[in-house]
Amino acid sequence: MLALLHTSPLHVPVFDALCDEDHQGLELAHFVHEDLLTRARADGPDAVADDVRAVLERAVADGAVAVLCTCSSIGGVAEAAAARVGVPVLRVDRPMAAAAVAVGPRVVVVATSESTFGPTVALVEEEARRAGLPAEVRKLFVDGAWALFQAGDTEGYVRSVAAAVDSVPGDSTDVIILAQASMTPAQRLTTTAVPVLSSPRPGLAAGAAAARAAAAG
C-alpha cells in the first residue's frame, strides 16, 4: 500500500485516476490534512514538522510501505521524517525537478502560493547539484489564483495559471515547472513552445516504484 499525504481533497481523484491508468493493482490510501498547508503558509514548513510526522506514522501503522507527499510546501519536511517513520517518504515534485534541470539551466518556477517557492526552488537547485548541472531559477507568482482555488473556482484557477505560463517569453527560459500539483490541468491549456512540467504523474510513478521495492524487499 502506498499512502498519499494531501493538503487538499481535490488531489484524491487526480491520483486515483493516475493510479488506474498507470499502476493497476497498486493500493492507495489517502490522508487529507488541509490544516497543514494553512499553517505552513502562515508560519513556515518547520512549524508543522511534528504533525506531518504524526500523519506519516499513522499511515505506516495502517499498513503503508511507502508514503508520497503531494504538497510541495511541506514535501521537504515529509522527506526529512523518513528515517523516523521507517519507510520511504517521497515528495511528489522531486522527479519533476530532476527532469527540469535535465532540459536546460534556465528554469521558471510558477506557483500560486508564496510558501511553495522556497521549498521548490531549493529542490530544483538540489537536483541540479546532484546531476552536476547549472541552474538559473526564476520565480513567477500567479497573483490572485489561490483565492480562486480556495473559493472552488478550479476552472478560473487553472486558466489563470495557464495565462501566466504563456506570458513567459519563449526565448527567456528552457523549461517551466508548475510547482503545485493543483496546477497540473493548466498544462493542457498552455500554448507556449517551452516544455511545461507538472508533478503528479512522475511523482506517483516514483511512489509506486518505492512501494513495490519496499514490499519486495
Side-chain angles (χ1 to χ4, degrees):
M1 181 179 78
L2 174 66
L4 282 76
L5 170 55
H6 309 291
T7 52
S8 169
L10 295 178
H11 295 333
V12 173
V14 172
F15 283 89
D16 278 341
L18 285 174
C19 189
D20 289 342
E21 290 176 20
D22 300 338
H23 308 286
Q24 295 88 354
L26 176 67
E27 180 185 356
L28 299 183
H30 300 283
F31 293 79
V32 181
H33 292 271
E34 296 178 88
D35 61 299
L36 293 176
L37 178 57
T38 302
R39 291 165 49 211
R41 281 169 54 86
D43 303 320
D46 289 341
V48 298
D50 289 343
D51 291 325
V52 168
R53 187 173 66 249
V55 175
L56 300 178
E57 289 171 344
R58 187 157 67 251
V60 173
D62 287 350
V65 296
V67 183
L68 179 68
C69 178
T70 67
C71 176
S72 48
S73 292
I74 64 170
V77 170
E79 266 191 341
R84 297 282 295 274
V85 301
V87 303
V89 180
L90 296 81
R91 52 189 295 176
V92 73
D93 48 354
R94 185 174 289 282
M96 176 183 66
V101 297
V103 173
R106 299 176 302 168
V107 181
V108 172
V109 174
V110 184
T112 62
S113 173
E114 291 276 11
S115 67
T116 302
F117 281 125
T120 304
V121 170
L123 177 63
V124 172
E125 292 172 343
E126 178 188 338
E127 286 299 320
R129 288 192 300 272
R130 179 177 296 183
L133 295 170
E136 175 192 321
V137 186
R138 291 187 291 125
K139 300 182 290 185
L140 176 59
F141 178 60
V142 189
D143 194 23
W146 189 249
L148 296 174
F149 183 79
Q150 289 182 307
D153 183 4
T154 53
E155 181 178 349
Y157 174 74
V158 167
R159 290 190 181 281
S160 65
V161 171
V165 169
D166 286 338
S167 75
V168 178
D171 60 356
S172 70
T173 188
D174 298 306
V175 62
I176 297 169
I177 65 174
L178 304 178
Q180 295 145 254
S182 60
M183 304 165 74
T184 300
Q187 207 172 9
R188 298 193 300 271
L189 301 180
T190 59
T191 59
T192 180
V194 177
V196 180
L197 307 184
S198 61
S199 61
R201 191 179 297 273
L204 182 60
R212 287 194 299 268

